[in-house]
Amino acid sequence: MASSQMSRDEALECTCCRHACHVLLYSETASQLFGRIPIRYIVLMQMRFDGLLGFPGGFVNPLEETLEEGLTRELLEELGVAVPVSKEDHVESCFSPPRSGTYSSSSRLILHFYVKKMEEEQIREIEKAAASTAADHGLEVLGMVRVPLYTTKSGGGLSCFLSHSFIGVARSQLMNSLLRLHLVSPGDLQEALRGSQRTHA
Ligand code: GTP
Ligand code: MN
Ligand code: MN
Ligand code: MN
Ligand code: MN
Ligand code: MN
């Protein structure tokens, strides 16, 4: 990953930095697309208010809450379910890459990323709540989306999904997680990436 990595504790030593936490929630599933293509896993992302894809979560204030409490608060706002997230679910922390074209004197932003495996039933409950009772539904969050992990013969699926626009480092957080959690093989991800470059060109 291009942006500099640090441990959770190192990150918290920066008292003048802003902090944001996001999480990849996923489950196994036996569902089959068209009754024949195994979905294998449900991986949740969201369409944000700005039209970019990202993970649920948001800004956390370490003076008022732990990173994980803040993340759970954001999940209640954005998903309508206070999904508990713990320190053990932490994967990586890094500085947010500076946004091109913006000259900001504001303090640096540290991004914390978490992964949590759930039961399929819990993921389905989250999808229901996110589309109905969540305070941010239709506002900060336009909808939850599932990540297609397969690539179709015509280049659809993961390939096409990766060609969309993502917030911050969400696209690499997604790809790194798919590999680390063995949700997609390195070869299949390479094939999807080649396809997504074709789609883009
Ligand atoms: P407000 O309540 O409106 O402040 O939004 P929020 O607290 O939900 O914050 P948001 O989710 O927008 O995240 C804060 C910042 O983190 C964003 O401005 C992005 O720069 C960054 N960000 C948002 N989503 C992701 C993501 O999925 N991955 C990464 N790495 N960064 C993200
Ligand atoms: Mn958010
Ligand atoms: Mn939010
Ligand atoms: Mn925001
Ligand atoms: Mn917020
Ligand atoms: Mn908000």
Side-chain angles (χ1 to χ4, degrees):
M1 189 182 281
S3 33
S4 59
Q5 294 285 327
M6 67 194 99
S7 74
R8 182 185 174 285
D9 288 343
E10 279 167 350
L12 284 171
E13 280 168 23
C14 181
T15 46
C16 59
C17 290
R18 288 179 306 144
H19 296 265
C21 300
H22 294 89
V23 64
L24 180 155
L25 302 173
Y26 78 107
S27 76
E28 295 178 6
T29 179
S31 308
Q32 295 192 333
L33 173 63
F34 310 134
R36 61 187 162 80
I37 302 172
I39 305 291
R40 297 172 43 243
Y41 297 94
I42 302 173
V43 176
L44 291 186
M45 291 192 79
Q46 64 187 19
M47 177 56 71
R48 294 161 42 92
F49 68 94
D50 52 14
L52 299 173
L53 291 166
F55 292 99
F59 287 110
V60 166
N61 182 353
L63 298 177
E64 293 174 357
E65 55 194 356
T66 67
L67 292 178
E68 294 76 22
E69 285 166 354
L71 176 52
T72 295
R73 173 184 52 70
E74 281 290 340
L75 297 180
L76 178 60
E77 295 169 8
E78 299 187 0
L79 306 178
V81 180
V83 180
V85 182
S86 74
K87 255 169 123 165
E88 286 67 47
D89 303 318
H90 176 265
V91 174
E92 60 193 5
S93 301
C94 68
F95 280 111
S96 174
R99 278 184 295 165
S100 54
T102 52
Y103 293 89
S104 169
S105 59
S106 65
S107 53
R108 296 198 71 181
L109 174 61
I110 297 181
L111 299 166
H112 305 273
F113 186 64
Y114 295 74
V115 168
K116 187 176 165 88
K117 187 173 187 184
M118 308 188 77
E119 295 300 322
E120 178 171 5
E121 192 50 38
Q122 296 175 297
I123 293 283
R124 289 180 182 275
E125 287 304 319
I126 288 170
E127 288 177 319
K128 271 186 223 158
S132 53
T133 55
D136 279 332
H137 172 61
L139 302 170
E140 274 183 42
V141 184
L142 302 182
M144 300 309 294
V145 294
R146 294 183 182 191
V147 180
L149 301 181
Y150 46 82
T151 299
T152 66
K153 287 202 179 99
S154 56
L158 180 58
S159 192
C160 191
F161 189 86
L162 290 172
S163 74
H164 293 302
S165 298
F166 292 77
I167 182 79
V169 293
R171 187 173 183 268
S172 37
Q173 285 170 337
L174 171 65
M175 292 194 297
N176 293 343
S177 302
L178 295 182
L179 291 176
R180 192 187 304 108
L181 300 166
H182 302 290
L183 306 189
V184 172
S185 74
D188 286 354
L189 183 60
Q190 276 309 316
E191 191 189 325
L193 278 173
R194 275 197 299 275
S196 81
Q197 277 145 17
R198 268 202 303 277
T199 314
H200 244 6

